[in-house]
DNA sequence: GTAGGGTTAG
């Protein structure tokens, strides 16, 4: 009877029906069979309404309906979706108690549940604290492997849940291993499976691999979904490739897919984050003529953009427009505005907005409280901040790493290191793991007070906790090591500033001033403190140097690390490559590209573009051809290659001949280019 | 008769 229910509104109607059954005396005219209950339970699971599920289940038992495998599976699925594996396992045992056997569906749900075990978002009120399990993916994996042992055949869904789990964590090799596993078990991956992998690459900011995978999906005549395209657009936007993101819209339209709210929210959000508020607003206003109604995410992106730009008035009027537009603001919307007020030192307004939010029926979240606490602390009102913390805890909200870090930052910036350390202890007792920002704040504070040993001691704690130091962490440590030297060299105090009477160097300037010897001093001090510099240590330094064009020092470090038997990773190679292309050192760039390919790394297309243009500029045509040949074997999406190298590169730089030459290499190799790109190329070549 | 994906702090 609930088969036609699909929306949250339907759920309400269905629940009302069950309520009537529950209110009846058993002789009621409202009766439901097991199938009806099951359908309702699945529907509730779809919307993650586990409390309602539990109630429906109890009504079912009260009415002496015997649950079947579908009932139990629905319960397992619901709890797994919200990451509550403990509760889900309770229903698995009920399956066994009932003399039934868990099936493929049960296992697929459990795999999903284990992958989500830690996903209980701090944005929600969490009353039951789930145990944190580091090896949640291993547990999921054991379940997948255990299926065969139990005589069950994993389905596409079982594999996809596992692949999604790995992709979310950026473990692409493991994800591809699962792909291999399913293929060897004769299950052919569908578009959804590839969609998961594309998501993984996008999440890792490896958009080129994501695009190459898209090509593979299309070659296999599978249809990528709107979600997949949206993910690609998001990935391209985040990588700063705005033009490419627009091209992806073209590609999706060709497949008959229509960009939706999500698509535009990505664009609008990206524009806002880049500070292009006007452009974002123009796109927002153009939605109507596209037949798209702005949703709360779109409004929030724009509101957030205005708040970050300090234009609270505009943000506020958007909130009003939102309400007129029948678009309901959510906690994210209010959080953006509250944050905006705090940033402008208007904590009072921020606090009253929180009250308003509650009145509007929107629940504050951990984030709301944290933003307010941070605002109060930055305002120097420690008392109020503590009171608010008490209020949040007593209302059942669990402070997270951001909340604790706000306090630690406040104590660090006032030089109260003992209090800051007390908060580290408190955090540990609550089972909250500090992140690199937390540790780096402490390191900076110790360094500012001239306590080198303590600063490096915190680094050791970081290493021991398995927390990866950021480039900020290393920059603060180095600026301290070289402080006296740098101060002398910069007697005009350029790039130096004062905090609590201690002078130190701005992070951005560390890379500009850093010499090779400083790095060596860092490594030696690290070793003395029991932290051996690893590939990431070198990576942070090399990438930092490359960003400011310090190729010579970066290369020395690169050689230094290799001499010590540490192999550079793809990011290190790419930053070096980008740096020397930018400096016009094309011979060196060619050497790097060759070395990368030899080690199985993928050189960025942007660097190839610069390199090929550079080689043509130097008249080194044969070298350019050879480099392009190798590029075509890298497995890139050929259309993307053509677009980047020809249209964005050679044609724009006026190397039409080079463009024709390289295009013929593509044709010789049988590389397919999209007809639209091809006609643009021909047009471009004619124009020269 | 069941299911699997995606935004938004310091």
């Amino acid at each position: 009877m609930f088969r036609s229910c699909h929306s949250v509104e339907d759920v309400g109607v269905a629940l009302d029906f069950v309520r009537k059954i529950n209110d009846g005396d058993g002789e009621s005219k409202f009766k439901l069979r097991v199938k009806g209950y099951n359908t309702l339970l699945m529907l509730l699971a779809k919307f993650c309404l586990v409390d309602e599920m539990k109630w429906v289940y109890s009504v079912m038992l009260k009415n002496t309906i015997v649950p079947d495998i579908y009932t139990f599976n629905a319960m397992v699925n619901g709890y797994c979706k919200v990451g509550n594996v403990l509760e889900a396992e309770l229903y698995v045992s009920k399956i066994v108690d009932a003399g039934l056997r868990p099936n493929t569906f049960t296992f697929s749900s459990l795999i999903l549940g284990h992958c989500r075990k830690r996903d209980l978002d701090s944005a929600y009120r969490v009353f039951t604290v789930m145990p944190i399990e580091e090896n949640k993916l291993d547990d999921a994996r054991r379940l997948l492997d255990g299926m065969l042992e139990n005589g069950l055949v994993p389905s596409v869904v079982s594999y996809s849940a596992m692949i999604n789990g790995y992709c979310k964590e950026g473990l692409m090799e493991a994800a591809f291993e699962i792909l291999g596993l399913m293929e060897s078990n004769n299950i052919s991956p569908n578009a959804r499976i590839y969609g998961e992998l594309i998501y993984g690459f996008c999440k890792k900011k490896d958009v080129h691999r994501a695009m190459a995978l898209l090509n593979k999906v299309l070659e296999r005549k599978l249809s990528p979904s709107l979600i997949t395209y949206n993910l690609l657009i998001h990935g391209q936007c985040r990588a700063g490739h705005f033009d490419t993101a627009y091209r992806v819209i073209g590609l999706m339209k060709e497949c008959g897919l229509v960009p939706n709210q999500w698509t535009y929210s990505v664009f609008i959000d990206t524009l806002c984050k880049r500070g292009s508020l006007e452009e974002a607003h123009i796109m927002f206003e153009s939605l109507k003529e596209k037949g798209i109604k702005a949703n709360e995410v779109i409004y929030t992106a724009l509101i957030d953009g205005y708040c970050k730009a300090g234009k609270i008035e505009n943000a506020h009027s958007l909130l009003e427009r939102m309400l007129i537009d029948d678009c309901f603001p959510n906690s994210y919307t209010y959080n953006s505005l509250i944050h905006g007020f705090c940033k402008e030192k208007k904590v009072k307004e921020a606090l009253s907005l929180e009250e308003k939010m509650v009145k509007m029926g929107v629940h504050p979240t951990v984030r709301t409280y944290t933003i307010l606490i941070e605002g109060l602390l930055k305002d120097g009102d420690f008392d109020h901040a503590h009171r608010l913390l008490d209020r949040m805890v007593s209302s059942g909200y669990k402070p997270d790493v951001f909340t604790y870090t706000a306090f630690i930052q406040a104590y660090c910036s006032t030089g109260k290191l003992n209090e800051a350390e007390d908060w580290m202890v408190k955090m540990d007792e609550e089972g909250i793991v500090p992140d690199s920002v937390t540790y780096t704040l402490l390191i900076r504070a110790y360094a500012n007070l001239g306590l080198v040993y303590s600063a490096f001691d915190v680094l050791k704690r970081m290493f021991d906790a398995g927390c990866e130091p950021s480039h900020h962490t290393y920059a603060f440590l180095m600026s301290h090591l070289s402080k006296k030297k740098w101060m002398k060299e910069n007697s005009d105090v350029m790039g130096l500033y004062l905090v609590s009477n201690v002078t130190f160097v701005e992070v951005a300037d560390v890379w500009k001033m850093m010499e090779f010897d400083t790095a060596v001093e860092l490594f030696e001090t690290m070793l003395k403190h029991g932290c051996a510099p690893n590939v990431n240590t070198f990576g942070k330094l090399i990438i930092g140097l490359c960003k400011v064009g310090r190729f010579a020092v970066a290369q020395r470090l690169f050689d230094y690390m290799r001499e010590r038997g540490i192999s550079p990773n793809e990011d290190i190679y790419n930053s070096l490559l980008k740096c020397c292309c930018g400096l016009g050192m094309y011979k060196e760039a060619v050497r790097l590209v060759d070395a990368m390919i030899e080690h199985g790394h993928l050189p960025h297309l942007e660097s190839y573009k610069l390199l090929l243009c550079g080689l043509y500029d130097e008249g080194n045509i044969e070298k350019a051809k050879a480099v392009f040949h190798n590029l075509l074997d890298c497995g890139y999406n050929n259309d993307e290659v053509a677009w980047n190298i020809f249209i964005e590169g050679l044609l724009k730089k006026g190397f039409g001949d080079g463009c024709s030459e390289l295009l013929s290499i593509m044709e010789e190799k049988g590389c397919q280019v999209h007809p639209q790109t091809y006609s643009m190329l021909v047009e471009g070549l004619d124009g020269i």
Side-chain angles (χ1 to χ4, degrees):
Chain A
M1 93 154 276
F2 299 132
R3 205 155 297 160
S4 57
C5 295
H6 297 291
S7 69
V8 188
E9 288 78 26
D10 295 335
V11 171
V13 176
L15 284 174
D16 273 342
F17 189 82
V18 178
R19 218 162 275 136
K20 280 180 190 154
I21 295 173
N22 193 38
D23 293 343
D25 48 8
E27 300 298 315
S28 162
K29 56 179 175 170
F30 302 111
K31 280 234 167 74
L32 211 52
R33 280 191 239 274
V34 64
K35 272 193 182 180
Y37 281 105
N38 290 346
T39 313
L40 176 57
L41 286 172
M42 281 316 301
L43 184 67
L44 291 168
K46 189 174 162 184
F47 294 102
C48 297
L49 298 165
V50 281
D51 292 336
E52 286 79 357
M53 288 181 78
K54 203 169 191 163
W55 175 72
V56 170
Y57 183 83
S58 72
V59 173
M60 200 175 158
L61 294 188
K62 220 170 93 183
N63 284 274
T64 62
I65 305 285
V66 183
D68 61 11
I69 185 71
Y70 292 97
T71 320
F72 294 125
N73 275 346
M75 297 305 290
V76 172
N77 184 252
Y79 282 110
C80 282
K81 275 181 96 127
V82 298
N84 192 343
V85 181
L86 287 181
E87 198 72 17
E89 279 168 349
L90 214 76
Y91 288 90
V92 176
S93 59
K94 285 186 205 289
I95 297 178
V96 182
D97 292 345
L100 301 164
R101 281 169 65 91
N103 58 18
T104 306
F105 185 103
T106 327
F107 272 84
S108 299
S109 290
L110 284 170
I111 292 168
L112 176 84
H114 278 281
C115 289
R116 288 184 178 179
K117 241 187 295 187
R118 257 207 306 179
D119 278 4
L120 284 176
D121 195 338
S122 57
Y124 298 103
R125 291 173 65 152
V126 181
F127 292 100
T128 30
V129 183
M130 299 294 295
I132 294 168
E133 296 206 25
E134 291 300 325
N135 51 355
K136 55 173 181 169
L137 291 180
D138 292 344
D139 290 342
R141 182 60 198 271
R142 265 194 291 279
L143 275 162
L144 183 69
D145 293 337
M147 285 178 80
L148 284 169
E149 291 161 23
N150 279 293
L152 291 169
V153 181
S155 65
V156 188
V157 181
S158 326
Y159 290 112
S160 106
M162 193 65 240
I163 289 178
N164 176 258
Y166 283 131
C167 286
K168 252 188 194 150
E169 299 293 320
L171 302 167
M172 297 310 289
E173 272 179 33
F176 273 92
E177 193 212 321
I178 301 296
L179 180 74
L181 189 68
M182 68 184 286
E183 280 175 328
S184 68
N185 286 330
N186 289 322
I187 297 203
S188 59
N190 57 16
R192 177 76 170 264
I193 292 278
Y194 285 111
E196 300 285 359
L197 293 164
I198 287 172
Y199 160 63
F201 280 134
C202 286
K203 199 157 188 230
K204 287 200 93 174
K205 297 187 183 168
D206 200 347
V207 275
H208 293 311
R209 282 195 172 87
M211 288 296 282
L213 205 51
L214 174 73
N215 243 27
K216 206 170 172 180
V217 184
L218 294 169
E219 273 168 17
R220 294 195 174 193
K221 306 279 176 229
L222 294 169
S223 308
S225 71
L226 184 61
I227 293 180
T228 303
Y229 279 105
N230 281 345
L231 284 169
L232 275 165
I233 289 168
H234 192 206
Q236 295 288 7
C237 281
R238 214 169 31 176
H241 309 151
F242 218 68
D243 293 342
T244 316
Y246 271 117
R247 278 183 49 234
V248 177
I249 285 206
L251 293 176
M252 71 194 270
K253 279 181 179 163
E254 265 177 48
C255 296
L257 295 167
V258 185
N260 64 357
Q261 291 172 318
W262 200 298
T263 321
Y264 289 103
S265 75
V266 169
F267 276 105
I268 291 172
D269 189 47
T270 308
L271 285 167
C272 286
K273 287 204 164 55
R274 285 161 126 210
S276 313
L277 272 174
E278 221 169 290
E279 264 182 85
H281 208 109
I282 292 168
M283 185 175 270
F284 170 73
E285 297 291 2
S286 76
L287 290 180
K288 216 173 196 175
E289 63 200 51
K290 289 191 177 84
I292 291 174
K293 190 181 178 313
N295 63 5
E296 73 283 4
V297 180
I298 295 175
Y299 269 107
T300 303
L302 212 51
I303 286 173
D304 193 61
Y306 279 116
C307 285
K308 293 233 160 73
K311 294 179 173 174
I312 291 270
E313 297 305 315
N314 301 49
H316 218 271
S317 59
L318 266 171
L319 179 70
E320 275 157 24
R321 182 165 160 189
M322 201 174 165
L323 292 166
I324 295 166
D325 207 11
D326 266 340
C327 181
F328 208 69
N330 58 18
S331 67
Y332 287 98
T333 322
Y334 283 105
N335 286 350
S336 282
L337 277 159
I338 291 170
H339 197 204
F341 277 123
C342 286
K343 215 179 128 248
E344 300 291 303
K345 296 260 168 224
K346 292 174 177 165
V347 190
K348 258 189 196 161
E349 282 90 337
L351 286 163
S352 67
L353 191 58
E354 190 255 343
E355 283 172 23
K356 199 172 163 193
M357 149 180 200
V358 176
K359 269 183 210 149
M360 294 292 286
V362 181
H363 286 297
T365 63
V366 172
R367 205 174 282 192
T368 318
Y369 282 106
T370 305
I371 292 167
L372 287 166
I373 286 173
E374 201 193 304
L376 287 164
L377 289 169
K378 287 208 168 128
D379 208 27
D381 198 345
F382 281 57
D383 276 354
H384 198 158
H386 277 98
R387 282 206 306 278
L388 195 57
L389 178 73
D390 291 342
R391 197 178 106 199
M392 94 181 251
V393 172
S394 60
S395 315
Y397 294 88
K398 193 171 159 55
D400 63 9
V401 60
F402 286 89
T403 325
Y404 283 100
T405 304
F407 279 101
I408 288 166
Q409 179 171 32
Y411 287 114
C412 279
S413 62
T414 47
K416 293 177 180 165
L417 273 298
N418 285 336
E419 274 89 342
E421 289 286 6
D422 287 346
W423 278 85
M424 290 293 281
V425 174
K426 244 185 250 185
M427 216 172 154
D428 185 53
E429 285 167 358
E430 289 297 322
I432 308 289
V433 183
D435 63 16
S436 87
V437 177
T438 325
Y439 283 115
T440 305
L441 284 164
L442 271 175
I443 287 177
R444 190 178 71 170
Y446 280 120
N448 283 353
L449 293 173
L451 303 166
V452 203
Y453 191 90
S454 304
F456 276 91
D457 185 49
V458 178
L459 184 73
K460 170 83 166 76
R461 279 152 68 187
M462 245 178 129
F463 266 70
D464 290 345
C467 175
E468 194 60 56
S470 70
H471 72 280
H472 286 109
T473 323
Y474 290 117
F476 284 128
L477 287 167
M478 281 191 297
S479 76
H480 179 75
L481 290 174
S482 296
K483 190 157 63 189
K484 279 187 191 138
K485 191 165 157 271
W486 287 346
M487 278 174 72
K488 216 179 277 169
E489 282 171 8
N490 293 267
S491 47
D492 55 349
V493 204
M494 207 182 78
L496 301 171
Y497 65 101
L498 284 154
V499 171
S500 329
N501 294 324
V502 183
T503 317
F504 71 105
V505 186
E506 277 205 58
V507 169
D509 294 321
V510 168
W511 312 115
K512 286 184 200 153
M513 291 192 268
M514 188 193 127
E515 291 306 328
F516 182 70
D517 293 347
T518 316
V520 175
E521 204 184 335
L522 172 78
F523 302 146
E524 282 168 0
T525 322
M526 279 175 72
L527 276 172
K528 261 189 238 162
H529 281 79
C531 331
N534 55 23
V535 61
N536 293 316
T537 316
F538 286 100
K540 295 290 186 290
L541 266 52
I542 292 172
I543 293 165
L545 287 162
C546 284
K547 275 200 179 134
V548 294
R550 302 278 310 278
F551 186 71
V553 184
Q555 194 176 33
R556 272 187 83 181
L557 275 173
F558 178 77
D559 294 337
Y560 186 90
M561 76 183 282
R562 286 201 304 180
E563 279 161 23
R564 270 145 195 81
I566 300 174
S567 343
N569 59 27
E570 192 168 287
D571 287 343
I572 294 179
Y573 271 112
N574 266 317
S575 65
L576 279 163
L577 178 63
K578 187 181 176 186
C579 184
C580 68
C581 284
L583 293 169
M585 301 162 68
Y586 302 118
K587 252 190 200 151
E588 192 55 52
V590 172
R591 262 209 294 276
L592 274 166
V593 165
D594 290 342
M596 285 182 79
I597 292 174
E598 195 191 317
H599 289 94
H601 296 311
L602 189 63
H604 281 168
L605 218 36
E606 292 71 30
S607 296
Y608 266 120
K609 176 177 79 181
L610 292 174
L611 176 56
L612 288 166
C613 288
L615 290 172
Y616 269 102
D617 199 28
E618 284 179 345
N620 204 344
I621 294 159
E622 288 315 306
K623 196 83 227 171
K625 281 183 180 172
V627 168
F628 192 67
H629 244 284
N630 288 339
L631 160 59
L632 293 178
D633 294 333
C634 282
Y636 268 109
N637 177 323
N638 287 321
D639 191 56
E640 217 188 355
V641 170
W643 186 274
N644 273 279
I645 306 296
F646 300 150
I647 295 173
E648 289 291 311
L650 295 166
L651 281 178
K652 269 196 182 167
K653 293 274 180 195
F655 298 117
D657 289 347
C659 188
S660 309
E661 275 168 4
L662 299 188
L663 185 60
S664 56
I665 294 179
M666 275 191 101
E667 284 164 350
E668 276 164 29
K669 288 193 120 179
C671 302
Q672 291 286 322
V673 169
H674 198 278
Q676 210 179 341
T677 315
Y678 196 83
S679 63
M680 278 193 80
L681 266 171
V682 175
E683 210 174 289
L685 286 166
D686 284 348
I688 286 177

